[in-house]
Amino acid sequence: MKYILDGKAMKDADRYTIEETGMPSLVLMERAALKTLEVMEQEELDLSNVLIVCGSGNNGGDGFAVARLLLQRGKTVTVVLAGNPDHCTEETKTQRKIFENCGGITMREIPKGDYTAIVDALFGIGLSREVSGHYAQILKKLNSMSGKKVAVDIPSGVSAASGEILGTAFRADMTVTFAYQKAGMVLYPGASFAGKVFVADIGIYLNEQVCGQRYVTYEKEDIERFRPKRKPDSNKGTYGKILMITGSSGMSGASYLSAKAAYRTGAGLVQIFTSEANRIILQSTLPEAIVSVYTDETDAALLLKEKLEWADIICLGCGIGTSETARKITDTVFGYLSEQPKNCVVDADGLNLIASMEEEKKERYLRGAGKCLIFTPHVKELSRLLSKTVEETKKNRISLAQQYSENYNIVLAAKDARTVVTGKGLFPYLNMSGNAAMAKAGSGDVLAGIITGLLALGMDRYEAASLGVCIHGFAGDAARETYGEHGVMAEDIIEMAASLSGEVNWKGTKQR
Ligand SMILES: NC(=O)C1=CN([C@@H]2O[C@H](COP(=O)(O)OP(=O)(O)OC[C@H]3O[C@@H](n4cnc5c(N)ncnc54)[C@H](OP(=O)(O)O)[C@@H]3O)[C@@H](O)[C@H]2O)[C@@H](O)CC1
Ligand SMILES: [K+]
């Protein structure tokens, strides 16, 4: 498990280390420079003719320190101070002086030349506004030059909080960031400007009282660490009775994928409640599942009540469509959960249907059932839940998801290239695994099934959603390795997820 910080939280951590523990700022800067150089050497960059562009803040100070270390190693280094010399921080002035005392020359304009490596030390986490004018010209020029590009701490122009490009940004091949990853180099578009990211420990540690945004993320080894173990004396009932209210006529795949994902994640018993049209196909493709059905003539809502009583955990929505029957089903489920809270994952049209309910009823259902719900919306579904435009939702996805969780106590897995999981009073989980090969039909059904399966293993909602998103992403990464960028199908993710979690000793040999 790791933390990811925004610029404000990182500044807090810096301040705490310097002011409260008494660690001199220049010591941290020296370590930052040493680590930057270490990574550049490790990555076997050609350091024979390096250009370093420094700003007047402490990011620039790092740049001067790297320049001096290169000089001391006998390399040719050109340093340009792009910021106003009078506005330099004390640390940056000191570093400039040391660099010049060692024979270095500080230029004010970028001299023409072919540089083997270009180091961006213009702005770090202190970037506070759009980059324009002179600075924007410099970044554009650097981007157009050949030579490996290295960003110190964060590419200049990328917002450390949101990953937004503030005007113009440095396009790095690699970024050496200090102490913690910054959210801006994980979230897009910033992530694609950072290149390969190296996190360097320079002796700055988080104090618990940081006031900026702090995210949690899981790494691959956390899957085994956090996933509950199977008990030796267990039976199928130990792992929860799952009711999956999924599929509709012509949409048996959503039922199949979500139920299979729940089973492969560890669920003991899964019952699918779906349209009669899906009975035969589901019984033949997934005989392990109980299949109960409604027909056009039967009252689905009435049948459902008995199933809801039976279930310990519910998953609603994958492939149910927005028919009148689906509407009645959703109404029945939310009505039931408002009275009888049972953990429930709501996905796809389950979300669209709750979003489209009349306000008074929706509010009553969300307030009543919120504490047992996990919603898994992609951006468009989230925008419907929030009654906002897709653009507005995309731009403020994380803060809007946080507000929604705070308001209703719903755990939200707000899906996107970097899915975020929010819960009331909790640090958001920011997911780093996964890739574009997973952008395929059925991938969301698989995620809903994995999260439901983790609930069945006894995880709480926030943990199940976070670990579920993490497993789903790593499984997608493994599937891409086997089937390639375009070849991954949703079912591959299920199989890979099972092998990732150590449940099945299997990798890459699946027959379709
Ligand atoms: N001891 C420490 O704390 C350590 C810090 N470390 C390093 O320091 C970095 C943080 O340093 P920092 O806080 O000095 O901010 P930094 O990113 O250099 O820039 C601030 C300057 O830029 C200016 N400016 C901002 N936006 C602008 C814009 N759009 N266009 C033009 N100007 C703009 C801003 O001007 P102002 O807003 O004040 O007018 C100010 O002058 C951090 O990322 C890490 O690399 C490490 O060495 C470890 C120890
Ligand atoms: K930088």
Side-chain angles (χ1 to χ4, degrees), residues 59 120-124 151-156:
N59 196 248
D120 155 40
L122 191 54
F123 306 120
V152 176
D153 208 16
I154 186 166
S156 297

Side-chain angles (χ1 to χ4, degrees), residues 182-202:
K182 316 302 179 291
M185 63 188 67
V186 173
L187 296 166
Y188 289 96
S192 43
F193 280 73
K196 194 169 170 189
V197 174
F198 298 84
V199 183
D201 182 355
I202 61 165

